[in-house]
Structures are given as structure tokens and as C-alpha cells.
Amino acid sequence: MDEKSNRNGSSRHHRLLIALFMVLLFGVIMIQYMCPSGAECHSLHTLGSWFKIWGASTSHSGHVLQDSVSRDPYLAEDKALVRFIPRFNFSKSDLYRAVDFNIKGDDVIVFLHIQKTGGTTFGRHLVRNIQLERPCECHAGQKKCSCYRPGKKETWLFSRFSTGWSCGLHADWTELTNCVPSRMGSQEPPKNLPRWNYYYITILRDPVSRYLSEWRHVQRGATWKASLHVCDGRSPTLSELPSCYAGDDWSGCTLQEFMDCPYNLANNRQTRMLADLSLVGCYNVSAMSEDERWAVLLESAKRNLRSMAFFGLTEYQRKTQYLFERTFNLEFIAPFTQLNGTRASSVEVPPDTQHRIRLLNKWDVEMYEYAKDLFLQRFQVARQQERRQARAKRIQERRRLRVRLAVKQGLQFKPAGTNYPDHPLQTEEEQKDKPAADTEGLLPNWWDVDKNDDAIEDYLDNVEQW
């Protein structure tokens, strides 16, 4: 009797655990649907992520997930894909990003360098850290490097560290697209102008961090007075683009003063620098209302960002490196490092001040969320492509080894579905006398694991979309 009651108690205990597990699982699913971005429900998403890790560790598939996170340097960097849920629908052409970059031909990479996005570090990677047949020539004490094509005295890179600020200090999309072709053309004799293929790239950063970093830079004396802001063939007048300070610079300004200037170009800088300013009358703000103007600029910036060959995010250094290498079929010598300690991160800003910064940069905030979603989707698609290619390579290698094993056993390997003799020199009588043999049977049971690999990798693909 006691034994029977113990069994019943144990059964009830197991059913209770299963019911509790199902309730928690349902709660995690509801969290994902109710708070897809994770920003508004950070604590709930944190709890959900803990539960998913715990639940995964109790099953074989969970071990696969945890092992993949520990082995994968891109997941280990920021865990972004584990909790990433796409918000925007992009076309295949937006996501499948790879260009046939010909460094020996007429292709040119044009770097649009936005202030305080980590562009200086990335620019140095471009001239000093890429494996090239003809590396860029960089000399101590010189700010520019010579990045020539193999066998030619032509540059393949248009950037601060290769051609200098040829189109003005921190030239934007409007300036670069009008200036670069003429600048590149002026380097060659007029009778032999090549038809260049331009691949635009840029780096973006979280708007609040970027804004604080720019304030600290201005506070130390930076002015960017050499910026031209050319649009529709002219620079803006002083009335169109007033200055925030009366002296030579704005050094020593407080964050409050920095935020209070209505003409501060730091506000929504990334959106403005990526948009076609001619669509809104350049710097003539009287052409339309402010909201209408910025709505046009935002859509233009999104469109230009999608059309760029590549863009990276400061917050995702390893993924930025990976996507650049996949896009241009170039490899860096040393890996990128994620630096979490910046001047902006050392600034203690009260929550209400951060809120105001986000309001001042609301178009950049929307732009960055859009860019981040596109960036992570591109990364995910690229990794899936890489896994499929590796899977196909493994299958091809296994088939090759099967043939070698069959030949070693004295058999003629034949693909499935063929009816010709196992050996071309054997007669029909010899074939009848020979015992039936299948080359697949010569291999151990664990050899053909293609389907098992597919199941595991498809599972990981789905996990990354949580």
C-alpha cells in the first residue's frame, strides 16, 4: 500500500512539474509577442532569457544551443541573435549583400565618415589591417596612406586616410555623391577617364552615445569649421546655418548649453548625413514644416542606407568585421575588438537628460533602430549562407570519401538509381555469381549524418530568431 501511494505521489509530482513548465513556457512566448523590441520590457525579457537558458539546459537541443553560444564568437560578443526579433520586412536584395569587388579593375570603396561613430578606428582598419596583394603604404608621421591597385597607380579607396578630406571635412551623402566622381576623374588624363564603380560604406552608432561623444569632443575645442556642407552647388549662408557660439570654438560648453542650441548640427546628424538634402531645399528650412522636412530626410536616409554596399554598427565590432569581409571578399589581418569603455560611456547622465537627448535626436533614434534591424538580419542571413555552404561542402566530401572507400574495397561506385554493371569488364554471368553489395553498406551507421546535421542547424536558425 505504501509503495502504491509513493508511486501515485511521484506521478502527481511529475505532472505538477510538467504543468509548471508549460505555464512558464507560455509566459515566455507571451512576453515576446507583447514586448517584441525588448526596450520597453527589459526586465521581462531578462527573466525570459534566463528561463530559456535554463529550459534549454534540460534538453539535448538546449545543450546544442548553449554549446553554440560558447563556441560562436559572434554570439558570445553581445548575445544579440539570441534575443533578436526582426521588426522590419526587407527584400532579398536588401539582405543578401555581396558585391563583386574588383580591386584590380575600376571599383572604388567610398567611406562616408560620420562624426563620433568610431569611423576613425574603422578607417585605420581599411588602410592598415586588410590582407592585400599590394598593401596600402603608410609612413610614420603622415596622416594619409597610398592605397594603390596591384600594378597601377590608382587608388581603390576614397577615405580620410587615403585621399584625405577631398570633398570637405566629414562630407555627407549629398556632398560625396556629387563630389567623388569629379575628384576621381581629376586624377586621370581627360582622354582616358575610367568608368568607376563606387561602393559606399559607413558606420553608425547609438544616437545617445554618439551625441554625448560629440559634446565631449566639442567641449575640448573641436569645431569642424572646415566642413563645406555643399548642396545644390553651394554652401549654406550664415542665416541658413547659424553658429551655436560666438568665439573661435565652443570649448568648455556644458551639456545643457549643447542641447539648448537650436542650430546644433549634432542633433539627428546621422539621418541628415545619410539623406539627400536637395529633396528638402538643402539648408533652407522655410521650404516646408520641420516634421515634414525630417520625415522626407528619414525616408531618404533609409533608402540610401539600404542601397549602400555595406554599413557597420559601432556596438557590434565583430559582426561589422564579418559582414565587411563577406560583402567585399576581403579579409582583415587582426580581428576587431569591442571597446565598451569610451568617453561617452564615462559620462553619468540622469535619466531625464537622456530622455531629452533622445527627443532631440528622435529621427536618429528611429533611423538607428531601422539600421540595427537591417544589420542583424543581414548578419543572420550571411551566417545561414555560410552554414549551408559548409554543409554542402561536407556532403561533397563524404561522397568523395565514399567513392574512395568503394574503390579501395575493389568495387565500382555507382550513384543511386543506376543499373549498369558494378565493373565495366565483368560479364553478366560474373555479375550474377557476385554477391550483392552496396557501397553505402560499407560505411558505419554514423557516417551518413546529413539529415541529423540539417535538423540541428535548422533548429539553431530558428533559435536565432527568438
Side-chain angles (χ1 to χ4, degrees):
M1 184 70 180
D2 291 338
E3 183 179 354
K4 183 177 180 181
S5 61
N6 289 337
R7 285 199 302 269
N8 292 336
S10 177
S11 178
R12 285 196 298 271
H13 179 68
H14 288 156
R15 286 199 296 270
L16 180 62
L17 286 178
I18 293 174
L20 179 61
F21 180 85
M22 296 302 296
V23 169
L24 289 175
L25 180 61
F26 178 76
V28 170
I29 296 173
M30 291 304 298
I31 288 172
Q32 300 294 343
Y33 276 100
M34 294 174 63
C35 308
S37 66
E40 297 83 358
C41 311
H42 177 72
S43 60
L44 292 178
H45 274 268
T46 302
L47 177 62
S49 64
W50 289 348
F51 171 71
K52 282 185 288 186
I53 292 175
W54 173 81
S57 64
T58 62
S59 64
H60 174 72
S61 59
H63 287 302
V64 174
L65 173 60
Q66 286 188 319
D67 290 344
S68 67
V69 171
S70 62
R71 291 195 310 265
D72 194 329
Y74 304 105
L75 290 177
E77 178 185 30
D78 46 47
K79 306 294 191 300
L81 290 183
V82 175
R83 59 177 179 266
F84 170 60
I85 300 176
R87 293 175 52 196
F88 301 94
N89 294 321
F90 296 102
S91 66
K92 287 186 177 180
S93 60
D94 292 333
L95 298 177
Y96 289 83
R97 221 19 150 213
V99 299
D100 186 18
F101 181 71
N102 185 6
I103 197 171
K104 297 182 180 180
D106 299 328
D107 295 347
V108 180
I109 294 177
V110 181
F111 182 30
L112 194 163
H113 186 171
I114 302 174
Q115 290 95 318
K116 313 314 295 178
T117 59
T120 298
T121 300
F122 185 76
R124 289 197 181 102
H125 280 303
L126 293 177
V127 297
R128 296 177 180 271
N129 193 26
I130 298 183
Q131 295 180 5
L132 298 171
E133 179 182 339
R134 183 180 181 179
C136 296
E137 298 176 9
C138 303
H139 303 285
Q142 296 183 2
K143 294 184 178 180
K144 293 193 300 182
C145 304
S146 299
C147 296
Y148 294 134
R149 308 179 191 277
K152 300 179 182 179
K153 200 171 183 180
E154 299 172 356
T155 185
W156 56 268
L157 177 63
F158 194 98
S159 74
R160 165 189 178 181
F161 291 115
S162 57
T163 55
W165 301 111
S166 302
C167 294
L169 182 63
H170 289 287
D172 54 35
W173 173 274
T174 308
E175 292 176 290
L176 284 177
T177 52
N178 286 280
C179 168
V180 169
S182 60
R183 289 293 183 183
M184 290 297 298
S186 65
Q187 298 178 8
E188 299 295 327
K191 63 180 180 180
N192 189 30
L193 287 178
R195 182 180 180 181
W196 305 106
N197 300 314
Y198 299 112
Y199 296 103
Y200 286 83
I201 66 174
T202 194
I203 301 292
L204 300 179
R205 186 180 182 183
D206 172 77
V208 175
S209 298
R210 198 213 65 80
Y211 188 85
L212 289 171
S213 182
E214 181 166 346
W215 162 60
R216 291 295 299 270
H217 199 53
V218 168
Q219 192 182 49
R220 294 190 300 271
T223 62
W224 294 300
K225 287 182 177 179
S227 297
L228 301 177
H229 304 298
V230 174
C231 179
D232 285 349
R234 68 176 183 88
S235 295
T237 63
L238 187 60
S239 61
E240 290 176 326
L241 191 59
S243 177
C244 287
Y245 52 91
D248 293 334
D249 58 42
W250 207 6
S251 59
C253 72
T254 65
L255 179 57
Q256 187 66 42
E257 292 171 336
F258 193 74
M259 293 188 296
D260 287 344
C261 178
Y263 319 112
N264 195 344
L265 290 180
N267 300 341
N268 299 299
R269 183 181 288 280
Q270 296 181 103
T271 301
R272 189 185 65 257
M273 290 191 68
L274 289 175
D276 183 357
L277 298 178
S278 62
L279 297 175
V280 295
C282 298
Y283 291 90
N284 180 12
V285 296
S286 62
M288 57 185 70
S289 68
E290 182 178 5
D291 285 346
E292 183 182 3
R293 171 186 173 85
W294 278 108
V296 172
L297 290 177
L298 178 62
E299 288 306 312
S300 176
K302 290 179 178 179
R303 183 167 55 251
N304 291 337
L305 189 74
R306 291 196 306 270
S307 68
M308 280 185 165
F310 162 84
F311 72 90
L313 299 182
T314 309
E315 290 74 19
Y316 301 94
Q317 289 293 308
R318 295 294 297 274
K319 293 180 177 65
T320 293
Q321 175 184 355
Y322 175 83
L323 282 180
F324 181 90
E325 291 176 335
R326 293 277 296 184
T327 301
F328 290 99
N329 196 26
L330 296 171
E331 291 187 3
F332 290 98
I333 300 170
F336 289 12
T337 56
Q338 186 72 49
L339 299 177
N340 295 321
T342 63
R343 291 189 178 96
S345 63
S346 64
V347 178
E348 293 186 5
V349 181
D352 57 337
T353 304
Q354 291 191 35
H355 179 67
R356 188 184 174 193
I357 292 175
R358 291 181 69 86
L359 290 178
L360 288 172
N361 294 273
K362 67 176 184 177
W363 304 101
D364 265 13
V365 169
E366 185 173 345
M367 177 68 194
Y368 183 79
E369 289 301 317
Y370 182 85
K372 180 180 176 181
D373 195 276
L374 176 57
F375 176 86
L376 291 177
Q377 286 198 51
R378 282 183 177 178
F379 177 80
Q380 183 169 288
V381 166
R383 292 302 304 277
Q384 289 172 349
Q385 279 185 316
E386 183 182 40
R387 282 194 290 268
R388 283 194 292 268
Q389 291 168 356
R391 188 185 309 167
K393 186 176 180 180
R394 289 196 304 270
I395 293 174
Q396 184 178 12
E397 179 66 15
R398 286 166 187 156
R399 289 173 179 170
R400 187 181 66 83
L401 291 176
R402 288 190 187 110
V403 174
R404 289 180 57 187
L405 183 58
V407 172
K408 190 174 181 180
Q409 296 287 337
L411 302 173
Q412 178 68 30
F413 179 78
K414 60 179 180 179
T418 56
N419 294 318
Y420 52 81
D422 287 333
H423 196 285
L425 299 180
Q426 291 178 328
T427 64
E428 293 184 5
E429 290 75 12
E430 290 173 331
Q431 286 289 322
K432 292 178 181 178
D433 296 333
K434 178 184 172 183
D438 188 357
T439 55
E440 297 290 338
L442 298 174
L443 299 173
N445 293 332
W446 50 261
W447 179 264
D448 194 5
V449 293
D450 296 344
K451 293 183 179 180
N452 188 43
D453 281 356
D454 291 348
I456 293 175
E457 295 186 14
D458 288 342
Y459 167 77
L460 291 176
D461 290 347
N462 292 329
V463 165
E464 289 179 353
Q465 298 188 32
W466 286 354

